[in-house]
Amino acid sequence: MEPISRDLSHTHFNNRLKSILLLLFVCNQISAKSIPGYFINNAGESLNVDFKIPIVDKYYIDFIKIQQNIKCETANGEKLKLTPEDAKKVVFDFRDQTIVLVSMANTLKLKAINSVKESIFLVQLSDSPIINSYLFFKGTGTSNLAAHGESFSSKKAPRRNVLKITEPVAKINFEGNTKYIFQKANGELFMPTKQTFDTDLAEFMKDCPEVSQFLKDVNLKKYQVSEIVARYVGCVE
């Protein structure tokens, strides 16, 4: 076996050093911002609190962290660490958006970082008696910090019908792969796969032939998922 060249070893060291410095830089940019809001506990009571939201570089929320737990402080100074087992819903405003996190049983075995929890907070996009839609953010590490507006396209299996994630809440997420999740009434959670998002969702919405065919025919780059959900609700209600 030939020895590793000094130049290659030096390059590897420089790359590792850059990664460490980038990680330290990111950590220094994270701050916990106090944001008023409320949560609904398991008894159905609504409690006003100040949430401690991890904010990166002033403009982005670390959703990956708050999908697992979220810190807050009550009016009498009591500090809480809410998990999806403690709260049914968490609501606060950030950058002219109302952020809603709902506690869901983790039937899809979603793993935000390293482990799978029994319950998880999902970002709610739409809420109706017919269908709900959510966002889930999966960690990718510091190698993918600019994951905003990410595409569902795949280099290995390119598709004609590529979906762009343009929901406003996704644009204030710090990092991670963004996944859409759907739920009819109180049914099971459904998450389309990356490469076949359009056909998977068309099958899920096949009880409305009009929307199902629309998903197969149109260029999804021009639409937000919230628009498609609204079409489906109008069709089946």
Side-chain angles (χ1 to χ4, degrees):
M1 181 181 293
E2 296 183 2
I4 298 175
S5 70
R6 182 174 298 179
D7 288 343
L8 184 59
S9 177
H10 184 69
T11 300
H12 179 69
F13 173 79
N14 284 341
N15 287 338
R16 296 247 344 208
L17 181 59
K18 288 178 182 178
S19 297
I20 292 171
L21 290 175
L22 177 60
L23 180 61
L24 290 173
F25 172 78
V26 169
C27 290
N28 286 335
Q29 302 304 305
I30 298 176
S31 61
K33 183 176 181 180
S34 182
I35 299 178
Y38 70 90
F39 73 90
I40 298 176
N41 63 19
N42 291 327
E45 301 168 325
S46 179
L47 303 173
N48 294 322
V49 295
D50 283 333
F51 291 110
K52 308 302 178 184
I53 306 298
I55 304 297
V56 184
D57 198 24
K58 298 181 181 180
Y59 297 105
Y60 304 107
I61 294 175
D62 191 345
F63 277 108
I64 291 174
K65 279 190 175 181
I66 65 175
Q67 283 175 155
Q68 301 169 88
N69 61 72
I70 183 169
K71 295 179 181 179
C72 64
E73 186 173 338
T74 65
N76 61 12
E78 182 183 5
K79 295 181 180 180
L80 304 173
K81 185 176 182 180
L82 300 175
T83 68
E85 288 78 21
D86 302 319
K88 292 182 177 181
K89 181 181 288 188
V90 167
V91 183
F92 61 90
D93 291 332
F94 180 73
R95 290 181 61 188
D96 300 322
Q97 291 190 56
T98 297
I99 310 300
V100 180
L101 300 167
V102 293
S103 174
M104 305 292 294
N106 192 7
T107 56
L108 294 175
K109 304 300 181 186
L110 301 170
K111 183 167 68 173
I113 303 179
N114 296 319
S115 61
V116 175
K117 306 294 185 182
E118 290 188 4
S119 299
I120 193 167
F121 283 128
L122 295 178
V123 177
Q124 188 170 59
L125 290 178
S126 64
D127 178 21
S128 82
I130 296 171
I131 189 171
N132 297 321
S133 58
Y134 310 94
L135 283 181
F136 169 72
F137 301 99
K138 181 179 179 181
T140 58
T142 55
S143 61
N144 190 21
L145 298 184
H148 320 299
E150 134 190 43
S151 170
F152 272 123
S153 63
S154 168
K155 292 182 180 179
K156 293 183 179 179
R159 290 187 56 79
R160 166 193 58 82
N161 211 353
V162 178
L163 176 71
K164 287 287 186 180
I165 299 175
T166 56
E167 307 296 336
V169 68
K171 295 180 180 180
I172 61 171
N173 174 53
F174 168 51
E175 63 128 352
N177 290 321
T178 310
K179 310 290 185 182
Y180 280 102
I181 295 174
F182 302 89
Q183 181 189 37
K184 289 182 183 176
N186 293 317
E188 294 293 321
L189 297 179
F190 169 73
M191 183 170 66
T193 57
K194 289 182 181 180
Q195 289 82 10
T196 57
F197 182 92
D198 54 342
T199 53
D200 284 358
L201 192 56
E203 176 65 18
F204 183 69
M205 295 181 170
K206 66 182 181 181
D207 50 333
C208 176
E210 177 187 339
V211 172
S212 183
Q213 191 61 46
F214 170 82
L215 282 162
K216 296 174 183 177
D217 293 343
V218 300
N219 183 346
L220 291 181
K221 287 182 179 180
K222 299 179 181 179
Y223 296 90
Q224 291 184 344
V225 164
S226 54
E227 295 178 80
I228 298 169
V229 169
R231 281 174 178 253
Y232 177 80
V233 171
C235 175
V236 301
E237 66 180 356

